[in-house]
Amino acid sequence: MNNDLPEHICEERVFERLYKSLGQDLHNFLYYKFGSQINVDDKAQEAFIKLWDNCKTVNFSKAKSFLFTVANNLVLNELKHQKVVLKHQQESPKKYTYETPEFILEKEQFAERYQKVLESLSEEQRVAFLLSKVEGKTHKEIAEMLNVTQKVVEYRIYSAFSVLKEKLEAFRKK
């Protein structure tokens, strides 16, 4: 490399020359240091991407140091992440709840009753209601999907609410 002229890493030919001269060394460095715990090819590529993203701020003389430091940090971050994932996999979920058995039973009964009431609705009511309340669609979007007017959609949702309110009245807390 010619030391007489300052070289800019952002020039494609200079970056390509850096990649060809340092790519294998970077791969070997990561492999020798961390083994096959992670995919060192990916981390080496990420380091070159970061070099390209920062090509305006990194001097040519500091490119090798930048690459090796960034690649090393990427691998260390990946290993830390793997430790956190492993730790959470080993933790067992809590096996207790503050819900009383009566509450759990009521909740199950309500879910069953709610499902039956939904099934008893007409198809038009059920579709409009579920699109609105489960999918979060607007009345206008539902009207376009079903090829009806917005007022028809509003009526179907309102009538579905009326049926649900009437048939689920027994579960209402006073």
Side-chain angles (χ1 to χ4, degrees):
M1 294 183 203
N2 190 353
N3 292 335
D4 298 338
L5 298 172
E7 299 199 50
H8 298 284
I9 299 171
C10 293
E11 293 178 25
E12 192 173 326
R13 64 175 180 76
V14 175
F15 188 82
E16 185 179 349
R17 197 168 65 208
L18 267 174
Y19 181 79
K20 286 181 179 178
S21 66
L22 297 176
Q24 189 62 44
D25 291 341
L26 182 60
H27 173 273
N28 291 343
F29 166 74
L30 293 174
Y31 185 76
Y32 297 150
K33 186 166 183 179
F34 299 104
S36 61
Q37 297 175 19
I38 53 137
N39 188 344
V40 293
D41 290 328
D42 287 348
K43 297 307 171 192
Q45 290 296 323
E46 284 182 55
F48 275 103
I49 290 170
K50 286 193 183 282
L51 177 62
W52 181 255
D53 291 341
N54 295 299
C55 68
K56 289 183 177 21
T57 59
V58 178
N59 294 332
F60 182 79
S61 61
K62 304 284 184 190
K64 183 175 181 178
S65 173
F66 179 87
L67 275 172
F68 280 71
T69 303
V70 166
N72 189 52
N73 290 340
L74 286 169
V75 173
L76 291 174
N77 288 341
E78 177 70 21
L79 292 174
K80 283 181 190 177
H81 175 71
Q82 287 177 1
K83 284 182 184 179
V84 169
V85 169
L86 183 62
K87 178 183 173 192
H88 284 288
Q89 286 175 344
Q90 290 173 343
E91 289 180 2
S92 59
K94 67 178 185 173
K95 295 183 173 143
Y96 59 89
T97 180
Y98 294 111
E99 297 172 343
T100 64
E102 294 84 16
F103 177 79
I104 294 171
L105 181 61
E106 269 186 39
K107 189 167 72 170
E108 290 171 0
Q109 289 173 345
F110 179 80
E112 288 174 20
R113 182 75 178 135
Y114 177 74
Q115 200 62 36
K116 286 180 184 174
V117 174
L118 277 180
E119 291 171 5
S120 74
L121 294 174
S122 71
E123 183 179 346
E124 292 86 10
Q125 290 174 324
R126 186 174 51 254
V127 169
F129 178 78
L130 292 175
L131 283 172
S132 174
K133 301 306 172 195
V134 175
E135 299 287 325
K137 304 278 187 205
T138 64
H139 293 182
K140 184 178 180 181
E141 291 172 327
I142 297 169
E144 291 172 0
M145 290 172 70
L146 300 177
N147 202 22
V148 295
T149 66
Q150 194 169 332
K151 287 289 184 189
V152 170
V153 170
E154 291 171 2
Y155 174 76
R156 289 177 181 176
I157 294 171
Y158 173 78
S159 60
F161 265 128
S162 296
V163 171
L164 285 166
K165 182 178 175 185
E166 176 188 325
K167 293 191 177 181
L168 296 175
E169 186 71 32
F171 285 99
R172 187 178 232 190
K173 293 286 182 184
K174 296 184 179 171

